[in-house]
Amino acid sequence: MESNRGRSTGSTGTAFSRRWLLGAGASALLTTGLSACGSGEGSGGGGETITAFVYGDDAVKVQAAAVERFNKSAASKSAKGKITLEKIPGSDYTPKLRTAMGSPSAPDVFFNWGGGSIKAYQEAGKVLDLTDIIQKDPVLKSGFLPSVLAAGDLKGRHYGIPMRGMQPVILFYNKTVFAEQKLQPPTTWDQLLANNAKLKKAGITPFALGGSDLWPELMWLEYLTDRIGGPEVFRRIQDGDAEGWGDPAILKAAEMVKALVDDGAFGSKFSSVSYVNGGAPAVFAKGKAAMHLMGSWEYSTQLGKFPDFAKSNLGWAAFPAIAGGTGDVRNVVGNPTNYWSINPHTQNKDAAIAFLKECASEAYAKDLVALGDVPTTSNAAALLASAPNPEYAKFQYDMVQQAPAFTLSWDQALGDELGTKMHTEIGKLFAGKSSPSEFVSACKGLK
């Protein structure tokens, strides 16, 4: 599936493919056969030109401009190297990168999704540990939002530099419905439940949900688990400990999901409603549902499908706090961004690192904003006034900037095989085909 990232259309198909671009298909990178040496031996300077692989959608214009700037810069001259950008069509990117990384012609720098998407490469010695480099370099250390920089980690080590926009999961609400029912966006779980009761009494489904796609259901478990037990709960699972599914926070989250379903929070037909085909966004925009927990691409989806609603009646808020939970209410889940990583066998590590610094520049951030993205750089706040919707862009930026932790979507963090099996179990939980305890037991057995 290739992402066109079209802002002018804002179609639901585009929104889903943007989610895929930021990670949902990335786990196909997890593969074996990565034992070849890569792009030459040695890691010092000396190679005149090094290659960067990038996902070739229409957003690649930002990376192309960065390469052009870098190749003319003093940093390029100092490192005695230039960058050649190889744009690979989206549908071909994963298999081409996999093949290249197992050959002597591996790229020096490569686009990826962070976390689980690069685990196989890290285990095969195909991706450079940037932790110490970042700590010693003021540009890399302070140039990016800490929660996003950490979101692409493997076991607490940095292997990538953020290079595209952020896409957190946000609680959207219908302003007209809320005004008519005299409601406010919930800041606590008790307020959310009270709102639900009032909405149902008025004949309005509290939440739209594209249950037939499964991944929208995952967002509920991610936020509930985080609010109850903090980001450490899933981090244990991501790091390979399946027993982590037995954490009390996950059982409690599953119980809360069951309570919502049983109470009619998602209506009675959510399992046959799709996000991808526009069903859930339509239910929300037409006022049949009052709220929608969804990635930040919901704005562009609504702008394309229901522009008047998007411009006048679409509201947004953070996921509420849960009484007694140990997770910080400022924590965020979703798709942090995409990353540049470096092949440790590059012939010019100095040039590769110097190029990665370009992603922290104001020029780079301005190009992302112009494209409609919200940059993950620490210098981006002052640039958001020129965004397509400055108020919305600032909300996203502040949300992520203030977040102590930004948890990568679970399916993307676990990889394709485990992620698919997890989706199946989540679907059973929401459909009432398994109990919360059965859900926990099934997930502990995922291999």
Side-chain angles (χ1 to χ4, degrees), residues 355-428:
F355 172 62
L356 264 55
K357 291 187 192 181
E358 171 65 26
C359 296
S361 71
E362 183 173 315
Y364 194 93
K366 283 183 175 179
D367 284 350
L368 285 172
V369 171
L371 194 67
D373 274 333
V374 178
T376 63
T377 50
S378 55
N379 62 8
L383 308 177
L384 299 179
S386 61
N389 185 326
E391 181 184 2
Y392 180 55
K394 187 176 187 303
F395 170 81
Q396 285 186 73
Y397 185 83
D398 289 347
M399 182 183 191
V400 175
Q401 191 272 332
Q402 295 165 14
F406 193 149
T407 296
L408 177 62
S409 295
W410 290 3
D411 48 1
Q412 300 167 15
L414 292 179
D416 189 56
E417 185 176 355
L418 283 180
T420 299
K421 293 177 180 178
M422 179 187 64
H423 280 164
T424 298
E425 299 305 328
I426 290 172
K428 291 179 183 177

Side-chain angles (χ1 to χ4, degrees), residues 24 38 66 90 141 149 270 277 305 335 338 342 392:
K141 183 178 181 179
L149 186 61
F270 68 89
N277 70 10
K305 293 283 188 180
N335 302 329
N338 297 113
I342 297 176
Y392 180 55

Side-chain angles (χ1 to χ4, degrees), residues 181-203:
Q181 300 301 320
K182 297 180 174 58
L183 302 177
Q184 295 294 324
T187 58
T188 69
W189 192 253
D190 287 343
Q191 289 173 1
L192 180 146
L193 295 178
N195 283 356
N196 288 359
K198 292 178 182 178
L199 289 164
K200 288 187 298 174
K201 188 174 181 179

Side-chain angles (χ1 to χ4, degrees), residues 74-384:
S76 174
K77 293 178 182 177
S78 177
K80 300 178 182 178
K82 293 186 176 182
I83 306 294
T84 295
L85 191 67
E86 186 164 344
K87 307 168 189 176
I88 302 169
S91 59
D92 298 332
Y93 185 80
T94 294
K96 183 160 184 177
L97 178 62
R98 180 173 62 240
T99 300
M101 291 297 281
S103 76
S105 57
D108 300 270
V109 177
F110 60 98
F111 168 108
N112 62 79
W113 295 263
S117 77
I118 58 171
K119 184 178 179 183
Y121 297 139
Q122 185 268 332
E123 291 174 346
K126 292 294 181 179
V127 59
L128 183 67
D129 186 337
L130 298 170
T131 309
D132 294 338
I133 293 169
I134 291 170
Q135 286 299 315
K136 294 175 182 177
D137 190 295
V139 173
L140 295 176
K141 183 178 181 179
S142 62
F144 305 94
L145 300 181
S147 63
V148 176
L149 186 61
D153 285 1
L154 285 170
K155 296 187 177 180
R157 304 294 291 181
H158 299 313
Y159 292 92
I161 292 296
M163 49 80 77
R164 284 195 171 179
M166 61 177 71
Q167 293 193 358
V169 172
I170 294 170
L171 180 60
F172 294 93
Y173 65 96
N174 187 313
K175 290 182 180 179
T176 298
V177 171
F178 267 57
E180 291 174 348
Q181 300 301 320
K182 297 180 174 58
L183 302 177
Q184 295 294 324
T187 58
T188 69
W189 192 253
D190 287 343
Q191 289 173 1
L192 180 146
L193 295 178
N195 283 356
N196 288 359
K198 292 178 182 178
L199 289 164
K200 288 187 298 174
K201 188 174 181 179
I204 301 168
T205 299
F207 290 94
L209 180 63
S212 68
D213 301 318
L214 299 182
W215 56 264
E217 298 176 341
L218 171 61
M219 297 175 180
W220 282 93
L221 281 168
E222 289 170 344
Y223 259 132
L224 287 169
T225 298
D226 180 274
R227 292 291 187 267
I228 295 166
E232 298 80 11
V233 175
F234 179 70
R235 191 173 299 134
R236 177 183 171 190
I237 298 168
Q238 181 179 345
D239 287 344
D241 184 0
E243 289 299 314
W245 286 106
D247 191 288
I250 292 181
L251 177 60
K252 179 64 175 177
E255 291 171 343
M256 293 174 76
V257 161
K258 184 179 186 304
L260 287 173
V261 172
D262 291 348
D263 195 44
F266 308 113
S268 60
K269 300 179 180 179
F270 68 89
S271 61
S272 62
V273 176
S274 171
Y275 185 91
V276 176
N277 70 10
V283 167
F284 178 43
K286 293 178 180 180
K288 296 179 181 179
M291 294 170 280
H292 196 187
L293 186 67
M294 185 47 59
S296 59
W297 56 81
E298 177 72 356
Y299 175 80
S300 62
T301 297
Q302 296 293 353
L303 192 62
K305 293 283 188 180
F306 305 98
D308 292 340
F309 170 70
K311 294 173 184 177
S312 303
N313 295 321
L314 181 63
W316 45 81
F319 195 85
I322 296 176
T326 58
D328 196 307
V329 71
R330 298 171 298 168
N331 287 346
V332 178
V333 306
N335 302 329
T337 190
N338 297 113
Y339 298 84
W340 282 129
S341 293
I342 297 176
N343 185 332
H345 302 291
T346 179
Q347 295 183 44
N348 195 332
K349 187 171 75 173
D350 293 342
I353 293 170
F355 172 62
L356 264 55
K357 291 187 192 181
E358 171 65 26
C359 296
S361 71
E362 183 173 315
Y364 194 93
K366 283 183 175 179
D367 284 350
L368 285 172
V369 171
L371 194 67
D373 274 333
V374 178
T376 63
T377 50
S378 55
N379 62 8
L383 308 177
L384 299 179

Side-chain angles (χ1 to χ4, degrees), residues 42-54:
S43 59
E48 292 185 359
T49 301
I50 61 176
T51 300
F53 274 18
V54 69

